[in-house]
Amino acid sequence: MWDKAVDGAHGHLVRKTKPNGLTFLADRIAHLIVPKMDHLACFMGGALALGAYTDPKGMDSDRARRDLRTARALTYTCYQMYARTNTGISSEYVNFNARTETGIAPEFRDFDGEDDMQVPENAKFYILRPEAVEAFYYLNKLTGDPIYREWGWEVFQSIERYCKTQYGYGSLTDVNNPNSVQDRMESFFMAETLKYLYLLFDPDSEIDPLNKIRDICTIRSHFLFLTLFYSAFFCANLISQMISFLV
């Protein structure tokens, strides 16, 4: 299922911008491509990297190399979504310059300007989302490349500078306006954003994303530390409860 989904994404959703060839994951409505990418989609950088490193065909397979290459490229684009704003913080989503491609939704064919991306008026806010630093963490942990830690440090410094309030951290109403912090903090900021940043800067962490028996990370970045004994006990207990329910 994973392989089929990733093949489909590469065939239909992975696109390049003009003029600098940034890789992004487009939306699709019926047969039309919508050249935008939400900050939420940045988690795919980490997911593709994990898929590449656990590919049954091995890391040297064409599929694994393709997936890791796309993971790096998508994550670089996510970094650019931060780096190209006045605050160094990403908006909720960006529109991309893909005017020369066929099959583009009509409302996106008249891209205003020559840059690779733009922050649309209705998406210029930032609510402390974690997906970009999540990708930085996984790629740093898997590849050992220090650039992802450097990008994470830049993001952390921007959050400290523009989102910190008297009693916590607030969302921004406009990522291009340094003085637009709100008195509002989403719960996932501590549960995910700060957790991934902490792990990114913790070289002594014993968490291993490739340890499928011991370390399992949920979609909300909660790490479950399991052993074979507890896994077997959990499964046996669950089966016992199901049998009792059926009887």
Side-chain angles (χ1 to χ4, degrees):
M1 184 182 297
W2 167 259
D3 295 334
K4 186 175 181 179
V6 173
D7 286 344
H10 277 97
H12 300 285
L13 302 179
V14 175
R15 292 289 188 270
K16 298 279 189 180
T17 67
K18 299 292 182 180
N20 294 310
L22 297 178
T23 300
F24 68 97
L25 200 61
D27 288 354
R28 180 167 175 159
I29 301 177
H31 63 285
L32 293 175
I33 291 295
V34 179
K36 62 178 280 285
M37 187 168 77
D38 289 56
H39 189 287
L40 284 164
C42 288
F43 87 95
M44 275 300 292
L48 286 170
L50 284 169
Y53 274 83
T54 57
D55 194 308
K57 295 184 177 181
M59 269 298 297
D60 292 330
S61 66
D62 290 341
R63 184 173 66 187
R65 288 200 299 267
R66 176 203 66 182
D67 291 351
L68 183 57
R69 184 168 57 248
T70 303
R72 284 181 174 273
L74 281 176
T75 303
Y76 176 71
T77 299
C78 290
Y79 165 68
Q80 289 298 320
M81 289 167 63
Y82 280 79
R84 297 189 183 203
T85 68
N86 292 341
T87 59
I89 291 176
S90 173
S91 58
E92 180 71 359
Y93 68 84
V94 298
N95 293 335
F96 291 103
N97 183 351
R99 287 175 296 185
T100 60
E101 289 202 24
T102 58
I104 298 295
E107 62 270 30
F108 289 91
R109 290 173 186 163
D110 297 324
F111 186 89
D112 184 21
E114 298 301 324
D115 292 334
D116 292 87
M117 64 177 72
Q118 289 179 340
V119 175
E121 189 65 24
N122 62 345
K124 59 186 181 181
F125 58 93
Y126 170 69
I127 57 173
L128 305 167
R129 288 201 182 278
E131 292 80 17
V133 294
E134 174 184 354
F136 297 167
Y137 164 71
Y138 280 113
L139 279 160
N140 175 259
K141 191 74 173 179
L142 294 170
T143 68
D145 191 335
I147 191 64
Y148 301 108
R149 187 172 287 172
E150 293 177 17
W151 294 349
W153 180 241
E154 289 181 28
V155 170
F156 175 72
Q157 287 181 306
S158 293
I159 292 173
E160 279 285 299
R161 182 174 182 180
Y162 297 111
C163 299
K164 193 169 185 178
T165 65
Q166 184 176 359
Y167 299 111
Y169 292 81
S171 304
L172 297 181
T173 58
D174 184 352
V175 294
N176 283 313
N177 179 359
N179 300 308
S180 63
V181 66
Q182 290 180 298
D183 186 17
R184 171 194 174 195
M185 184 177 75
E186 299 285 350
S187 61
F188 54 68
F189 176 65
M190 289 188 175
E192 299 179 72
T193 310
L194 288 183
K195 186 179 294 182
Y196 280 122
L197 283 168
Y198 174 83
L199 291 171
L200 180 62
F201 302 128
D202 180 16
D204 300 321
S205 172
E206 296 182 0
I207 294 174
D208 180 5
L210 297 181
N211 190 327
K212 293 177 285 186
I213 299 299
R214 191 194 69 182
D215 300 344
I216 298 176
C217 184
T218 70
I219 189 66
R220 290 303 180 193
S221 81
H222 300 145
F223 285 92
L224 309 178
F225 300 97
L226 305 177
T227 65
L228 284 172
F229 172 80
Y230 286 114
S231 298
F233 176 82
F234 173 82
C235 292
N237 186 53
L238 179 61
I239 292 171
S240 175
Q241 292 183 37
M242 291 174 64
I243 293 173
S244 299
F245 176 79
L246 292 173
V247 172

